[in-house]
Amino acid sequence: MLGRESTVILHMLGTATKHNDIRKCTIEQEIKFGDGTQDVMSALGAPCKIYYKDEDKMKIHSKVTDKKLIKDESDYFYNYFTLGMDILFDGSKNTVKKFVLHSNYPGHYDFNIYYRCCFELNLKSPLDNEFQITPYTKWDKVEEFLGDTYRKPVVLNRRSSTNATNPFGPTFCYGLNNLIIEVMPSNNYVASVTIFP
């Protein structure tokens, strides 16, 4: 699994044209936990959007009483919709804290906001067997591989600020070491994977 010194390697497939000669090319970029915003922008370019977290439920445990200081240090996401991923930055250190990879399946709350991120994540079992999770993996295959080693899911019910209901229903989030795997119960597909150190 990934640790604090781990690197997320992105293989981006694109096309290059030169004098009517179209070629497919793969670009490889590395982003590490703890990389700064400039490192990420050098590797991936400018984000499509930057989202500042309005509310962090864990901030209630903070010893800082000045609300302005807390707001100035809010964590924020670089949203890369065309790459199918978000990168969360620590608001006080401006370093990479989490990666969120989206599979873009119909029936998910974020459907058609992100392109599909064609990720490949390798899981290891306690017996050192390996299993690869991709955007096309169904949760029952992951369950079969893991056996009884994972906990019950947390139910995630998203809704927008203007609409109090989510027409797609809740999703289930399973925690595995340093991954959170979001699963759509309607079709059992992996909706997103969050990676943290």
Side-chain angles (χ1 to χ4, degrees), residues 103-105 116-120 132-141 187-191:
S103 64
N104 192 33
Y105 270 106
R116 177 172 288 143
C117 180
C118 293
F119 55 85
E120 295 176 348
Q132 190 173 71
I133 296 179
T134 70
Y136 308 102
T137 303
K138 285 200 163 196
W139 179 249
D140 50 352
K141 295 291 182 190
N187 58 16
N188 230 11
Y189 278 110
V190 172

Side-chain angles (χ1 to χ4, degrees), residues 109 159-165:
Y109 186 77
R159 61 179 181 217
S160 68
S161 58
T162 57
N163 186 359
T165 62

Side-chain angles (χ1 to χ4, degrees), residues 72-91:
D72 288 344
E73 294 182 359
S74 288
D75 291 349
Y76 55 95
F77 286 95
Y78 274 12
N79 304 118
Y80 288 96
F81 301 124
T82 55
L83 297 176
M85 68 184 296
D86 299 317
I87 300 174
L88 177 66
F89 288 90
D90 182 291

Side-chain angles (χ1 to χ4, degrees), residues 59-190:
K59 294 279 186 187
I60 62 169
H61 302 289
S62 174
K63 293 180 182 177
V64 178
T65 56
D66 187 1
K67 291 186 187 274
K68 184 178 181 334
L69 283 176
I70 291 173
K71 186 171 182 170
D72 288 344
E73 294 182 359
S74 288
D75 291 349
Y76 55 95
F77 286 95
Y78 274 12
N79 304 118
Y80 288 96
F81 301 124
T82 55
L83 297 176
M85 68 184 296
D86 299 317
I87 300 174
L88 177 66
F89 288 90
D90 182 291
S92 59
K93 298 176 187 172
N94 295 314
T95 56
V96 173
K97 192 170 166 178
K98 289 182 187 175
F99 295 88
V100 182
L101 313 175
H102 300 273
S103 64
N104 192 33
Y105 270 106
H108 186 261
Y109 186 77
D110 290 334
F111 173 65
N112 222 12
I113 293 174
Y114 294 89
Y115 285 30
R116 177 172 288 143
C117 180
C118 293
F119 55 85
E120 295 176 348
L121 298 170
N122 294 319
L123 296 180
K124 279 191 175 180
S125 74
L127 303 173
D128 279 342
N129 297 331
E130 285 201 17
F131 181 79
Q132 190 173 71
I133 296 179
T134 70
Y136 308 102
T137 303
K138 285 200 163 196
W139 179 249
D140 50 352
K141 295 291 182 190
V142 179
E143 276 182 313
E144 188 179 301
F145 170 74
L146 294 173
D148 295 337
T149 60
Y150 64 94
R151 297 181 184 151
K152 290 187 178 192
V154 172
V155 178
L156 176 61
N157 196 359
R158 291 189 174 116
R159 61 179 181 217
S160 68
S161 58
T162 57
N163 186 359
T165 62
N166 176 357
F168 303 112
T171 55
F172 297 147
C173 296
Y174 295 90
L176 305 169
N177 296 330
N178 57 343
L179 299 175
I180 298 172
I181 301 173
E182 182 185 7
V183 178
M184 298 183 298
S186 59
N187 58 16
N188 230 11
Y189 278 110
V190 172

Side-chain angles (χ1 to χ4, degrees), residues 9-28:
I9 300 174
L10 305 169
H11 297 276
M12 296 175 274
L13 183 63
T15 56
T17 55
K18 184 177 179 182
H19 304 291
N20 296 329
D21 181 19
I22 299 175
R23 297 175 189 218
K24 289 192 177 191
C25 61
T26 303
I27 301 168
E28 186 175 297

